[in-house]
Each structure stands twice: as C-alpha cells, then as structure tokens.
C-alpha cells in the first residue's frame, strides 16, 4: 500500500504528534509526516519535528494583519502539501470554514473528552467539575462546528476519587497516544467510511 502523506498542525507540546511520529517510524501506520504547521514559533512540537527530520512551516499568527490573512496563508500552504490527511494535534485555533470545506473528510482532531460532552477548552477540567465517573478522548473528523464532526474512535478512563484536572489529563493522555495513531492508521489503510454522522470502520 502506498504511504499516505500526513500533514500535522500543532500549537504546543506535541505529544500526540510524537505518538504519530513513533507509530509511523515503527511502520505501524502506512503513512508519513510530510510537514508540521504551527502558528506558534515557540511550540515544542517544532523540536520534535526537527529531531524526526520533518519539515516545519511556522505561520506565526501574531505576524498576520488579521485572522483572515492568516487563514488564507494557511489554506494556501495546506493545499501545496498535497497531503491526504491533516492531523490537528493540539492545534489551538478553530479552523476557518473555508479550510474545513477545502478538505472534507480529510482533517482529524483529538479532543480530551468523550464527545459530545465537554467541548471546547479544558475538557478534562469540565469532566472533573461535572462529577462524571468516566472520561476519555475522542478522535473525530473536523466539520464546520467545534468538536462536532463524525466520531472515529473513543477510549475511556475512570475518573478516580481525588482526581483533579491534571491527574485526569495524564490518564486520558495515555489513551490519546494509543487512540490517535490507531485512527490515523485506519485512515491510511482506507478503512474509514463517512456516512453522515456515522464513521464505519471496514
Ligand atoms: C491534547 O490533550 C489533545 O487532546 C488536545 O490538546 C492536547 C494536545 O496535547 N486537543 P499535545 O500537544 O499533543 O501534547
């Protein structure tokens, strides 16, 4: 099977990006990371890309005159990659409608909560505050609404007595690092079929 071209967008630490680099390097995923895009010149993800010989494109949000100008530059750069798949790995901006529409079924995100619960920022804190007994992560395709696209995989973890945002986030992160490479592998193996809200795994 021909390897799929994967472009990654990350704004920070990049541990999910690292999990993808490791899985692709181990041959678990029939795909390769062809570029890291970041909006943050200080993102630790940049070091991870350099260590893995993955080209980095920094589109420093602060250097653009407007959100629209930034989005246009990002869209043009994304088109140039000819990537099959775009992976949001801790990308801290909401993708504009034009970008989402340009790559239907080709942008994935991971969210640290069991969607549709606890969308937006601090999913883990929302789970602790709400008092749920089970939390987890969700990998989904990106559509025009925040944390709302068709769900590919979910993994759950218990919420334990005494948990705070950080202890729960650490427990969820372990599952994220399994779940995201698995979903990306399924995509790269052409095994994901989107039917409305339902993602079928062939
Ligand atoms: C993860 O918790 C992910 O679910 C969320 O942002 C965080 C990114 O972490 N979307 P990292 O940068 O991959 O370490």
């Amino acid at each position: 099977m021909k390897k799929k071209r994967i472009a990654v967008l990350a704004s920070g630490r990049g541990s999910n990006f690292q999990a993808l680099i490791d899985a692709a390097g181990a041959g678990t995923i029939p795909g390769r990371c062809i570029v890291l895009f970041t909006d943050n010149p200080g993102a630790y993800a940049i070091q991870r890309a350099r260590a893995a010989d993955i080209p980095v494109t920094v589109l420093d949000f602060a250097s653009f005159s407007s959100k629209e100008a930034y989005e246009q530059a990002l869209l043009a750069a994304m088109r140039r990659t000819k990537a099959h798949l775009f992976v949001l790995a801790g990308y801290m901006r909401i993708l504009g409608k034009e970008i989402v529409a340009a790559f239907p079924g080709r942008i994935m995100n991971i969210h640290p909560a069991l969607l549709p619960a606890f969308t937006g920022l601090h999913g883990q804190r929302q789970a602790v505050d709400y008092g749920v007994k089970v939390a987890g992560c969700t990998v989904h395709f990106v559509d025009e609404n925040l944390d709302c696209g068709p769900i590919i995989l979910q993994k759950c973890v218990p919420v334990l007595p005494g948990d705070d945002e950080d202890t729960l986030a650490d427990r969820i992160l372990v599952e994220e690092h399994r779940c995201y490479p698995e979903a990306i592998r399924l995509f790269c193996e052409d095994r994901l079929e989107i039917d409305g809200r339902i993602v079928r795994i062939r």
Side-chain angles (χ1 to χ4, degrees), residues 47-65:
Q47 326 276 338
R48 298 183 191 271
R50 298 237 158 93
D53 273 335
I54 296 166
V56 178
T57 298
V58 179
L59 293 168
D60 182 358
F61 187 82
S63 73
F64 287 85
S65 56

Side-chain angles (χ1 to χ4, degrees), residues 10-19 45 48 88-92 109-113 120 124 136-138 147 169 172-173 176-177 180:
S11 304
R13 155 182 83 168
S15 71
N16 278 288
F17 175 39
Q18 188 67 54
R48 298 183 191 271
L88 308 188
Y91 178 68
M92 297 308 288
N109 182 42
I110 188 158
H111 183 72
Q124 307 95 330
C137 60
T138 303
D147 298 330
I172 293 173
L173 197 61
E176 291 187 38
H177 294 163
Y180 216 1

Side-chain angles (χ1 to χ4, degrees), residues 18 23-24 54 63 66 75 94-95 126 147 169 183:
Q18 188 67 54
I54 296 166
S63 73
S66 64
L75 175 57
I94 297 173
L95 282 181
Q126 293 182 59
D147 298 330

